[in-house]
Amino acid sequence: MKPAFNVRQQSEIFIGPLADILSGVLPEGRVVVVSDSTIDRLYHSVLAQYDTVLIGLGESVKTMQTVEMIYRRFIELGVDRSTFVLAVGGGIVTDVAGFAASTYMRGVKFGFVSTTLLGQVDASVGGKNGVNVDGYKNMAGTFTQPQFVICDPALLRTLPEREFRAGLAEIVKAGLIADRELFGLFESHSLEEFRRDRALLGEAVMRAVKVKAAIRVKADIVERDERESGDRRKLNLGHTLAHAIEKASNRMNHGEAVAVGTALIAGAAVKLGALTQADCDRIVNVLTALGFDLTPPVEVKRLLKEVGKDKKNEDGMLRIVLPVGIGDCEVRPMTMDAFAALF
Ligand code: NAD
């Protein structure tokens, strides 16, 4: 099967049935799998074919300790530079395994089978990996492309609804940044329809990863701009506050925090005169219809304190991504005080 997209001629992204794709892309030689206990339970017979390193569940395992555990298991298993590391899981697994693989013995080759919606449309695409440090998100990591990413929408059928919805938040974000039609799919279809209708979901994943979405939203931005300057920052729409929300709240997952962050930044864009109230209402309506609670889990003042410490705070200036229409956004440098005054 041909890849749907090729990032920098280094990383091939496939959207389709795993069984048809995997055998064609795995290199000859030894393969070691990194995954988590959920995937092991669901796909034990598949993982059992390989030496497998399992990590724990949840954001709290995205740490250097887990990476060290993986290094130790790799040493025990005799992993060397000729071994291929296959990460099978959601964003936690691919972020941690991508970091471990890209640093173990100064880097071994790796690929991803992405098993969550968030992973398929966002976390596994783009070559960013890493871990949190003292609760600060993604403070250590590398930019290293996996050899391939496989996104099989059929793997998502076992995904709990909450995780599924979280992935949809990233697809809405992708549409908002650069694909008005993709955003429009959410104005004409319910969460249940996305869940039930494989073709609709496939189209949304495809759009978020491939042609319009991948080229214009993520992969193309990655190609032009791999180290997160300029346009690539647009991918952080809603994330300045979302990272603070995730840190301040122990009940919200990434997608839920992105939904709240996107709604807050849309409101701020209206205050700045950058976005019309009507477009802001469309954004809020789509996110609400998907079932997101858009109430910040803690006072916005507390979130702003966290924003000050976030890694995207450079030279005393924040780079805020503002939606300026449906399918259009811009990056504005802003002082922390000016940003805080918007809330
Ligand atoms: P996750 O990896 O924790 O997966 C969510 C849960 O679903 C886990 O319990 C997992 O075991 C389970 N699961 C995975 N696949 C399943 C399946 N097919 N069926 C049933 N259950 C399944 O969470 P996530 O939302 O995929 O990823 C979140 C992480 O991704 C965050 O740490 C975030 O920072 C990171 N992320 C990274 C990037 C990047 O560019 N590197 C981008 C966005 C998000």
Side-chain angles (χ1 to χ4, degrees):
M1 182 180 277
K2 279 193 167 177
F5 197 76
N6 192 325
V7 183
R8 286 185 156 247
Q9 308 306 314
Q10 291 171 7
S11 184
E12 296 187 319
I13 299 168
F14 297 85
I15 300 168
L18 176 62
D20 295 355
I21 299 165
L22 189 60
S23 57
V25 293
L26 268 185
E28 295 212 340
R30 185 152 184 232
V31 174
V32 169
V33 166
V34 179
S35 191
D36 71 22
S37 50
T38 310
I39 299 300
D40 187 47
R41 182 169 44 76
L42 290 167
Y43 298 102
H44 185 75
S45 58
V46 181
L47 297 197
Q49 298 169 40
Y50 305 96
D51 283 323
T52 300
V53 179
L54 296 183
I55 67 170
L57 300 178
E59 192 68 33
S60 65
V61 308
K62 208 172 128 174
T63 60
M64 285 305 295
Q65 284 83 347
T66 304
V67 172
E68 281 186 47
M69 181 278 284
I70 296 173
Y71 293 154
R72 288 197 187 95
R73 289 281 292 128
F74 280 180
I75 293 167
E76 279 167 23
L77 292 167
V79 170
D80 63 21
R81 302 214 36 203
S82 66
T83 309
F84 190 84
V85 173
L86 180 67
V88 184
I92 302 278
V93 167
T94 53
D95 270 15
V96 173
F99 183 48
S102 65
T103 49
Y104 179 77
M105 292 185 134
R106 300 196 177 91
V108 297
K109 290 191 171 157
F110 63 98
F112 294 156
V113 174
S114 190
T115 64
T116 63
L117 187 52
L118 182 100
Q120 295 193 355
V121 299
D122 196 12
S124 67
V125 182
K128 286 202 283 183
N129 58 53
V131 295
N132 307 329
V133 178
D134 288 345
Y136 291 103
K137 290 277 297 175
N138 306 323
M139 291 301 277
T142 76
F143 281 85
T144 313
Q145 295 292 346
Q147 301 287 298
F148 59 78
V149 181
I150 302 174
C151 303
D152 180 353
L155 296 178
L156 305 177
R157 64 177 178 263
T158 49
L159 208 57
E161 180 159 305
R162 195 171 164 205
E163 301 299 338
F164 187 79
R165 181 185 291 119
L168 291 183
E170 290 290 346
I171 304 183
V172 171
K173 181 198 82 174
L176 197 48
I177 292 170
D179 186 346
R180 186 186 309 204
E181 286 173 39
L182 177 57
F183 184 90
L185 288 181
F186 291 93
E187 295 185 305
S188 48
H189 299 283
S190 65
L191 177 123
E192 288 66 35
E193 287 175 283
F194 278 98
R195 200 131 189 152
R196 213 177 41 230
D197 184 340
R198 200 65 66 71
L200 175 66
L201 178 61
E203 184 186 349
V205 170
M206 186 69 97
R207 289 188 89 109
V209 177
K210 204 187 158 193
V211 201
K212 285 186 184 157
I215 292 175
R216 296 175 56 197
V217 177
K218 185 130 195 180
D220 177 56
I221 294 171
V222 172
E223 291 212 47
R224 281 190 274 117
D225 204 358
E226 190 159 352
R227 297 191 74 89
E228 190 150 301
S229 54
D231 266 4
R232 181 162 174 153
R233 289 181 198 278
K234 289 184 177 175
L235 298 170
N236 291 330
L237 179 72
H239 282 55
T240 304
L241 286 160
H243 284 163
I245 290 167
E246 267 185 286
K247 182 153 167 41
S249 151
N250 47 21
R251 67 177 169 85
M252 279 196 166
N253 66 28
H254 183 70
E256 290 163 348
V258 166
V260 178
T262 302
L264 285 172
I265 205 66
V270 173
K271 278 197 190 157
L272 278 169
L275 184 73
T276 64
Q277 185 62 52
D279 280 346
C280 179
D281 292 345
R282 286 176 69 187
I283 295 166
V284 169
N285 288 343
V286 156
L287 294 171
T288 307
L290 289 174
F292 288 108
D293 176 2
L294 300 180
T295 318
V298 297
E299 267 191 28
V300 176
K301 265 188 200 161
R302 236 183 91 190
L303 298 179
L304 292 168
K305 263 193 191 162
E306 282 303 326
V307 170
K309 299 178 196 162
D310 193 278
K311 69 180 164 63
K312 288 173 187 75
N313 178 4
E314 297 160 15
D315 315 330
M317 299 288 270
L318 298 168
R319 305 297 193 274
I320 300 298
V321 188
L322 292 174
V324 296
I326 304 297
D328 196 10
C329 65
E330 65 177 44
V331 182
R332 278 202 199 173
M334 217 178 268
T335 62
M336 188 61 221
D337 286 348
F339 183 60
L342 294 171
F343 299 94

